Each structure stands twice: as structure tokens, then as C-alpha cells.
Amino acid sequence: MTLDLTLSPIYRISGQEIASLPGLLAVMPPPNAARGREKDRLLVYLLLTGNSTFSTSEYMQVAIDASTIFYQTPGALTSALRAATESVNKVLLERNMTTSGQGQYAVGWLTLAALRDTQCTFLLSGPMHVFWFGQSEMRHIHEPIVSGKGLGVHPVTSIHYAQTSLSAGDRLLFYGRAPSAWDSTLEDPTPSSLDAMRRRLTTLTSGDLNAVLMQATDGAGLLTLLKGTAELKEQEDEKHKPDLPLTNNLPSLEEAVSTPEPDPEFSAHMVQPADYTIPPQLEETPPKEQNVKPDPLASLPRTGPREFPASIPRIKPQALPVASEPLIEKNDSPADEIKTIPEEKSEAEKIVLPAPVKQPEPPREPSARTRQTAKLIATGIQSTRRISETIGEKLKNFLPRLLPNTETNEVIMPSSATMMFMAVLIPLMVVTIASVVYLRYGRSQQYETYLGQAQEMKAQALTQTNPVEQRITWENVLLNVDIAESHRETSETITLRQEANANLDTLLGITRMQFNPVFSSNLGIEISRMAASELDLFMLNAANGEVLRAELTNGRGFQLDTTFNCKPGLYGSYTVGPLVDILAMPALNSINATLLGIDATGNLLYCAPGQVAQAIPLPPPDTNWGRVTSFTLDSGNLYVLDAPARAVWVYTGKDSTFIDRPYFFFGERTPTQDVIDLVIAGDDLFMLHADGHLSTSSYSRIESAPNRYQDPTPLINPFAAYQDIDLFGNAHFTQMLFTAPPDPSILLLDADTQGVLRFAPRSLELQNQFRPTTGNANPIPSGPVGAVTVGPNHVLYLAVNGQVYFATGMP
């Protein structure tokens, strides 16, 4: 990130400038951002129109939730922008449905701007405007036909995408409705600084204003959200002072909370990539004279970390940091409560503003652009009427000739209903033809523009030699293809997307696999663990600890075995609780079992098709059990993880039974209590912790040499294209597997990206990643993976949302 962004809200109500603009949010990428969002800075600018009432905290919460959804959505940038927009639409739509009985509604106009390096991508929903001012040119982005009327009126969102490159000194202006006095300034933005342009815009009119002005400058990727004209002057003065540490510009949380009244000088909020937080917001009290309805926003699901069953401990992800106003306070400012202004006869909509007493403005002279538009509309109406009259006259003379009554001079006139139908039909045909022409040629022009940009970036990527630059360029190719396909999908865009994905996979060490569903319908359960043999697939139900079995049959695929019995219950004199882990047994064992399960108190359950399960408790260790969370089998020995007791107990096997007391694996150092999985490779024990890092312990068979313990154990990424990305830090590892020789490796499941990462056991160097194919060929829905396993015949299984998917030929 080489560009600093400075945002200056322009917010005036009844002649009073307000420092804080509701619905304006500037966000840096959080540490736990989804894949593809690590380099995206986000601007959220939300305007509400209608006659409903919103508090300041409600207004800001909608914007905050949209940014949260954006950074939790992996993949293409346009997909993340669309997901954030749909979240706003859902909130407003459900609120409107709740308040429609009182005749209240709110429509959202939204602008999202995502900056990645120097590429700025816009999403507009509703009749929003974006002006880009470069060094020697300008561009007006406004497509009301594509972006629609706004959010909250229909389940399907109307969206317009646009993109531009930013350079130091460029300025952007966002607004929903502007006074006509701005026309000359927007057509000729001669001011050379942010302060000068702001002063010019605010002095051209005395009416209400709601806009955002942004400028890009060379820097280190900071975001600065200004709060008034005085701060602009201070910023200009700072250019002539010696450089100070960046932390001097950051207000502390205590200072923000202890300030009861707005500071007349307004302080800036400098957001650094690794130093920001979400200050707590004060609870607002609604005015006494209003009847406060239950807030429909409170009943909506909030985004947050997903919960895991008790059988699989998981760590929750960090909260999303947001760079916004540090605190929303109650004071005497008219911005304390945001109310929508009732509709007036002269205007169809009003922007949601605080509710002061508004002074009427004298009528303004229409601008030249307005007069020209009105003239064109009037000319079009007159032309339509002339055409209608001409065709009607022709029909009056022509229709009687079609009748058989030619012997008389009686003239049969068309009925009034026929004339009415023609009067409606002809203007409708004119409008339809105009719409078709725009959709065919206007959207085609935008398609050609973004397809051309994608092809230029492809040519640039093919000439580059730096892997990081190649990765960024191919990602930009995909971004432009996404925007082009939002207008039209063709064989050219499909081919270009496939080529870009193939090159990215090569740079990132990704092997794509074609998955297929195991079952014809969803099982309706949450699967927490899986185990597989060549013909059997076993699935652990996280809710009740029962195991399901699916059998591979010739010609019919997998069939669910409804007679298989492997669940908690009373077996002889032993009571087995819900199973917490399972593993497939070797083909030859003395008990003839195909599956082995274990509960939290160390009871083993041997299961086989067509047989009654057999329970055998493990001899308890000297310190007794805390809670068994996982186990694994290696060379006939059973390794049992008791995470709360910070212990791994080793049982020596005899004919697949374990009757001897165990020995403690560790020496002086023991692991922490957050271990969630383990694998054994010879004398080396690898442990996966809840936060995603690994630790290792090597068992020493020499009494004089202690066990070696390392925590954390570093993972090595040899792919140079990840040089500026922390692949392992951004991953959400939840399970670990070990594949036996001749190709031994350690597999880590990244649940959020549906990827399986393969590492060399000794060096823990990344070898490659297995991921599903992209596009329509991938049957796996979005969502985290609950469980993973690999069969001995190189079949990879993933469990997602109650269904299991398999891919053959895993290398």
C-alpha cells in the first residue's frame, strides 16, 4: 500500500456544519481477513432516504456490518462487494417489512470503494455519483438505470461496478444529490488541494450538503478521516513542520471517551495497518416524545465466529477492527438522532438527515444542463404524441377498408377502447426500443472496456518475472473479468478467467481436484470427524456422538448402511458416552472390527458391519483422565490426547487391544491445553493448537537424552508469490492427518478456504495445496469444512454442510 487516503466529509444541516457524517466508514484490512481481502482498504458511504427514523448508532451499525461481511468473504473482490451490499439490503428490507404497517420506509443509497494497491473498484447501488479528478482529466461515474433505485425495496439488489487507477494527487467526490451550483466546479475542478476544493464546494451554496471528498497522496498506506474545515488547515500547516512519529496523530481511547462535547477544532483519526481498534459506543436514548418501536435490526443474525461441537475444540477468530469515528456521543448537536424527512410534493425523495427546523430556500434558477435536459424531454414527448396521432389517423382510414361492408357509404370508426390501447402501446414500444438499445450498446461498451483492460494486464503478466508482481497482475485480470461478466459473459471472458486461474494456481502451488457428492441428498447432520477404508466411509455425528457408515457398491456409488450400529450406550457392563474421535482399523485385527471409536472418558468402542459393537475401557493413567479429545494409531500403538491434562498417553498394542497401563510421552516440557489434534510420524509427535500453530515433540529412547520439544514449530513456504502474504497466519487450521509411505506427508485442513495443505514431515515445508475446482464445475457450496479424511486408495473426502464430497486420484 503506497498511497495514503485522506477523507473529508461535507455535511451541513440548516447552515450548521456537522463533524461526524453518519454512514461514512473507512476500514483497513484486519489481521483475520479472508483470502483475497488482505490488501483491500474499504470505504463505506451510505445514504438513507424515506420517512423512517434511525438513531446514529443504528445508522453506523449497518455500515459496520457491511464492512464485516466484506472482509469475511474470500475470493473475487466483486463477490465481496456484492455480499456487503446484500447484507445492507437484507437489513433495510426486513426493517421496511416490519414498519410498513405504520407507513414508514427507508431506502439505502450505497457507494463502496475498495482500494487494492493503486486500483480502486467502486460499487454503486441507487442513484449515487462518483467523480474522479486526475491531473489533467476527470470522469463522472453515474449509471442510475443499472444501479437501480436503492436498497431495501426488493430482494434482488441492483449494482453497478466501475474501476479506476489512482495516482498521488488524484481526488474523488462521492454524493447522492448535489446542488446545481456545483455543476461548474465539477466540470472544471481547478483547485489544486483538498482544502481548496472543499472550500469552493461549501461556499457555492448555503443549502444542506451530504458528500465525501477524498484525496490520494504518496505515503505508507494510511487512512485519515478528517472532521471539519479546521482540521484541513491544521493538516496543511503540518506539511511545513518537522516529521513526527505517526502515533502522535492517533487519539487514545480514553481521550475519546472522556470528551463530553465535540471538539470545535476536530481531531483526525489516523489509521495504521497494524494499529487500530473498535472503541465502544455509548448507548443512545430515544427522544421522549416518540414512540420507540422494537428495533428489527436487533433480531437479525450478526456475523461472527461459527461455533463448533464440543467434540472439537476451536478457537474463535478475532473481531473485525474498523477505522471509523472513535465514539458516537449524545450532545446538543442536531446530529444526535438521524431522522428521515417526510416527502414533499415537489420532490420524490429526501436524504435522511438529522431533524432540525429547516428554513425554506428561495427558488434557484435552473442550470444550463437542467434546461437542456428539460428541453430534450419535452421534444421527446411532443414527438411521441405526433407519431401516435399520425398512426391513429392512418388506422382510422385503413381499418374500415378491411370490413366486408363495401356496398354502403357507412364509415366504421375504431372504438374508444382501441384508440386508448394504441395510445398506451405506442409510447411503450418507444421506451422498450430505447431500453433495448441501451442494454445492447451501452452495456456492450462497458464490457469491451473491461475486457480490453483484462487482456492488457494478461499481456503484462506474461512479460513479468517477479512472482509477486505476476500474482498481483493476474488477480487484476480476474477483477476486470468479473466486472466485464457483470455486463455480459462470453467465451472470451471464460477462456481468460481459466487462463488467469491456471497461472495463479501455478504461482501459489495449488492443485485443483474435481469433487463429487457422496450422497444424493443432504444428511442433515454436522460431521465432526471422518475415517475411510477402501470400501467404507465412516462419519461422526457431532451432535450425539454416533457413527454413520456408507459402503461403496459396484455401479451404484456409496450407499448408507442403516443397520450399522456404532453409538453411545450400554455394552455389557460398560457404558460408552458420545464418541469424540474415530479411526479406521487395519484390515487384519483380532477383534475383526473395521472402526475404532473413543469417548471422553477413555472407553474404546470396536464396531463392524453386521455385528454388535464391543466396548473395552482403556486402563486409566496414574493421574486419571481429564477429558479425551483425540487419538491416533501408529505401528500398533495407541496415542491418546488428554488436552485439559496437557498429556499424551501411549498404549502398547497387543492384537489390536490395549490392556497395559500407559506411559507418559513427554519429558520436562508439556504442551498447552489448547491442543485439538495430533499425528505421529515415527518418534515425532506433531500437535495442532486451536490458534492454528504447530508444536512438536521428539521421543528419546535413551534415558540420558531428554525429549526434544519445540513450540511453536515453524512452517516453511517455498512459493515466492506469497512473499507479501502470510499464508499460514491467515489460514484456519482445524484438523491434521498423516499419510503413510511410500509418500509420507502431513496434511492440514484450512476449513475456511476448503483447502488441504500438504507438508513434508521432517522439514514441514509446504509441498502443495489441494482445492476444489472453480466455477460451475465445483459442486461444493460455500462454507467451512467440518471434517476431512483420506482413504488408502488416494481418495480425498471433505464434509461441508451435512454433505460429503470426494475426489479421486489424489497425488
Side-chain angles (χ1 to χ4, degrees), residues 9 27 49 66 69 84 118 141 169 171 176 206 364 490 557 636 647 696 711 768 807 809:
V27 191
T49 69
I69 293 294
T118 60
I141 302 172
R171 296 186 300 280
S206 59
R364 295 189 294 263
T490 64
T696 57
D711 185 10
N768 66 322

Side-chain angles (χ1 to χ4, degrees), residues 439 443-444 446-448 451 480-498 774-777:
L439 294 176
R443 293 174 67 91
S444 177
Q446 294 181 353
Y447 162 83
E448 294 293 344
L451 178 62
N480 281 273
V481 170
D482 288 339
I483 301 177
E485 288 186 339
S486 68
H487 300 287
R488 190 174 66 190
E489 182 177 345
T490 64
S491 58
E492 287 184 284
T493 61
I494 294 174
T495 302
L496 192 55
R497 177 185 297 279
Q498 292 174 347
T774 59
N776 298 329

Side-chain angles (χ1 to χ4, degrees), residues 1 39-40 57 92 98 184 286 334 388 411 436 489 617 718 739 748 782:
M1 301 183 185
K39 295 291 185 180
D40 296 333
S57 58
L92 296 179
T98 304
S184 60
S388 178
V411 178
V436 170
E489 182 177 345
T739 59
L748 287 176
S782 60

Side-chain angles (χ1 to χ4, degrees), residues 69-80:
I69 293 294
F70 174 81
Y71 283 110
Q72 290 180 349
T73 305
L77 177 58
T78 52
S79 300

Side-chain angles (χ1 to χ4, degrees), residues 421-451:
F421 173 75
M422 297 302 299
V424 174
L425 176 62
I426 293 172
L428 183 60
M429 292 175 59
V430 173
V431 173
T432 302
I433 293 173
S435 300
V436 170
V437 169
Y438 170 78
L439 294 176
R440 179 178 180 86
Y441 296 102
R443 293 174 67 91
S444 177
Q445 180 61 38
Q446 294 181 353
Y447 162 83
E448 294 293 344
T449 299
Y450 289 107
L451 178 62

Side-chain angles (χ1 to χ4, degrees), residues 67 110 147 210 269 340 345 354 406 415 468 563 573 704 716 770:
S67 65
L110 180 66
S147 59
N210 191 313
H269 298 282
T340 55
K345 294 182 179 180
T406 60
S415 65
V468 175
T563 64
S573 58
S704 59
I716 301 174
F770 300 104

